[in-house]
């Protein structure tokens, strides 16, 4: 279809009666110029209408900076699109119910195959797709006569982070004031958790800010830099593992082993809450974990019997490793609540991170375990970090500002998941 339109446009232009036609029409530069114009015309027509899947931002994204530089607000009719210029107005139609909404492009995305647009919560609500999560839509450019009324445009002036730790009236929620003085929290994960230190006091790690807000009885990290969810054929039990780089034994499994050992020796109180944030290295170094994405969550959870009795070296896919470690934790700490955190967007791991995070979410759903999608909810975008480092120091590892944003986002998400569990 694109080629057909290209040829038609080119033929139409060639028939035009241009002054000095014979002198110019046989010149190569003019032909190339005409061909370029035709390409632009055909491309414009090709982008005139798109059909595909739409998703929407979490409400916790309010206040985050978008790729356009402006603040995001869930009550504004905003969207993210990969192609259209910032400020472009798009009409989005929900195919299933015919509802329409006009939104303004302020961000880039989505970067998941099959999805063509990310909507604000307000826009998704107008389309009636909140309960669906993802819906089939038609997207077309919109040219208004009198403009579109956007709500809360002043959100750009909002104080940073207040959106994550205050109620609608601006007051601090009761759960932050009270904290969780009877809850012992354990953290497992990779470098962005490791940065906060075992005692969760280093501001470069999100766990420091999480600990300050959540106020548990204790908060201890067993995370290791370079750790992956996925095991290898050489993975074995190793309580002493501490290489801080990618390795056969530097896996979440051995963090579970060290936690169990510490509790058994009385060095660590039995946790009531276990948070696991990993997956970046599984995506970043997929060549070192070649089997990681070979099985879906549905395939792994269709297998009967307990995984926790198997050898770690047999868990070579991401979904298998997630199920394996969560079953081990349930066996060792049956009263603990487990929460999975899908990591923030990464410049270095961008190619495979969407697939990894989706697998984490799918596994959580299969096990009825809460999942926080930090890649969607933190407001940290790899495309922005690739242009200018603000929330990360290198595109993956958080700066103090990025750690603070992630910590507060996770604290808010964890609190909600705890409420939902009751």
């Amino acid at each position: 279809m694109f080629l057909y339109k290209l040829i038609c446009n080119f033929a139409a232009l060639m028939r035009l009666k241009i002054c000095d036609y014979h002198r110019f029409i046989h010149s190569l530069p003019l032909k190339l110029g005409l061909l370029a114009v035709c390409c632009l015309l055909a491309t414009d027509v090709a982008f005139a209408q798109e059909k595909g899947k739409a998703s929407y931002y979490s409400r916790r994204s309010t206040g985050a900076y978008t790729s356009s530089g402006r603040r995001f607000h869930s009550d504004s009719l905003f969207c993210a699109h990969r192609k259209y210029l910032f400020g472009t107005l798009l009409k989005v139609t929900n195919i299933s119910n015919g509802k329409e909404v006009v939104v303004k492009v302020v961000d880039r995305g989505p970067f998941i195959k099959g999805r063509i647009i990310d909507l604000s919560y307000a826009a998704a609500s107008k389309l009636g797709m909140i309960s669906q999560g993802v819906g089939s839509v038609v997207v077309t450019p919109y040219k208004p006569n009198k403009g579109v009324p956007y709500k809360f445009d002043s959100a750009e002036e909002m104080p940073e982070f207040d959106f994550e730790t205050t109620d609608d009236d601006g007051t601090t929620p009761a759960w932050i004031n009270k904290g969780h003085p009877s809850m012992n929290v354990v953290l497992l994960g990779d470098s962005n958790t490791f940065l906060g230190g075992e005692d969760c006091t280093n501001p470069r790690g999100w766990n420091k800010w999480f600990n300050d807000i959540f106020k548990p009885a204790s908060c201890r990290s067993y995370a290791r830099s370079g750790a992956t969810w996925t095991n290898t054929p050489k993975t074995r039990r190793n309580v002493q593992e501490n290489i801080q780089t990618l390795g056969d034994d530097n896996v979440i499994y051995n963090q579970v082993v060290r936690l169990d050992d510490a509790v058994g020796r009385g060095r660590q109180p039995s946790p009531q809450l276990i948070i696991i944030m990993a997956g970046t290295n599984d995506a970043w170094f997929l060549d070192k974990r070649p089997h990681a994405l070979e099985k879906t969550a549905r395939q792994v959870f269709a297998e009967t019997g307990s995984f926790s009795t198997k050898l770690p070296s047999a868990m070579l896919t991401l979904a298998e490793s997630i199920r394996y470690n969560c079953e081990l934790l349930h066996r060792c700490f049956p009263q603990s609540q487990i929460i999975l955190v899908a990591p923030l967007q990464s410049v270095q791991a961008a190619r495979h991170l969407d697939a990894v995070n989706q697998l984490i979410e799918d596994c959580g759903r299969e096990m009825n375990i809460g999942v926080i999608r930090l890649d969607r909810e933190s407001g940290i975008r790899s495309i922005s970090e690739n242009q200018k480092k603000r929330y990360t120091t290198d595109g993956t590892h958080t700066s103090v500002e990025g750690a603070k944003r992630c910590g507060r986002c996770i604290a808010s998400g964890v609190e909600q998941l705890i409420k939902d569990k009751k």
Side-chain angles (χ1 to χ4, degrees), residues 12 48 52 54 84 92 94 101 182 217 233 246 256 266 288 294 347 363 370 404:
Y84 286 103
V92 184
N94 189 336
V101 68
S182 61
L246 197 72
V256 175
K288 305 297 183 183
E294 286 185 356
V347 173
C363 288
K404 184 184 295 186

Side-chain angles (χ1 to χ4, degrees), residues 61-63 71-78 120 151-152 155 158:
S61 296
T62 297
R71 297 265 194 162
F72 185 84
H73 199 290
S74 61
D75 286 330
S76 295
L77 299 179
F78 288 159
S120 64
K151 297 186 290 182
F152 293 93
M158 291 174 59

Side-chain angles (χ1 to χ4, degrees), residues 195 203-205 209 390-393 397-404:
L195 285 173
R204 279 284 311 282
W209 305 101
R390 178 180 181 186
Y391 297 114
T392 67
T393 57
H397 302 100
T398 52
S399 62
V400 172
E401 194 172 358
K404 184 184 295 186

Side-chain angles (χ1 to χ4, degrees), residues 27 81 107 119 130 140 148 233 250 315 318 385 388 393:
S27 65
H81 198 280
D107 204 3
L119 302 167
I130 295 297
T140 54
V148 180
N250 191 6
M315 305 293 106
L318 177 61
E385 291 299 306
K388 182 180 179 181
T393 57

Side-chain angles (χ1 to χ4, degrees), residues 84-132:
Y84 286 103
L85 295 175
F86 294 135
T88 302
L89 299 180
L90 302 177
K91 183 173 74 172
V92 184
T93 305
N94 189 336
I95 295 176
S96 63
N97 57 24
K99 292 183 178 181
E100 298 179 346
V101 68
V102 177
V103 292
K104 180 185 289 185
V105 179
V106 299
D107 204 3
R108 289 293 175 232
F111 301 104
I112 298 176
K113 185 177 180 180
R115 297 187 189 179
I116 60 173
I117 194 168
D118 266 337
L119 302 167
S120 64
Y121 189 91
S125 179
K126 287 182 177 293
L127 291 177
M129 55 173 282
I130 295 297
S131 60
Q132 300 170 257

